[in-house]
Amino acid sequence: MEIDGNALAGDLSEVFATDATVAVFTCAGCGHAGAVATLRVWGPAPGAVGRCPSCTDVILRLVRTPSRLILTLTGATRLELPLDA
C-alpha cells in the first residue's frame, strides 16, 4: 500500500519537537557516533556548521532566514532521537 507523506505527520512531530542536542548522530565519513551536543560548531554566518569531533567532516548545516529554518544532515548516516518514556 502506498500513501502520501501526510502519514508521517505524527512520527515527525515527535522528531522535531524534542531537544535535538541529545540525539545521536552517526558520521558518514568515519562512522563515529555521538550526541549532537558534542559536534564542533562554526558559525554564525551564513549559518551554523556542525563538524564531527572525530574526523571534522561536516555533519549538519543549519541556516535561519527571515522565513525559514533550513537543516541539512548530509554528513550523517543516522540520527537517533530518544523518545520520552
Side-chain angles (χ1 to χ4, degrees), residues 51-68:
R51 291 183 173 270
C52 176
S54 178
C55 71
T56 71
D57 277 4
V58 174
I59 301 297
L60 65 83
R61 293 176 182 88
L62 183 62
V63 176
R64 179 179 294 273
T65 73
S67 62
R68 296 178 190 268

Side-chain angles (χ1 to χ4, degrees), residues 15-16 20 36 48 59-64 68-74 79:
V15 170
F16 292 107
V36 169
I59 301 297
L60 65 83
R61 293 176 182 88
L62 183 62
V63 176
R64 179 179 294 273
R68 296 178 190 268
L69 189 59
I70 303 165
L71 173 65
T72 60
L73 291 163
T74 53
L79 188 65

Side-chain angles (χ1 to χ4, degrees), residues 3-46:
I3 54 180
D4 69 24
N6 287 312
L8 300 171
D11 288 338
L12 287 177
S13 71
E14 288 185 276
V15 170
F16 292 107
T18 186
D19 177 6
T21 61
V22 298
V24 175
F25 70 90
T26 301
C27 177
C30 70
H32 173 80
V36 169
T38 66
L39 293 175
R40 309 302 302 160
V41 178
W42 279 262

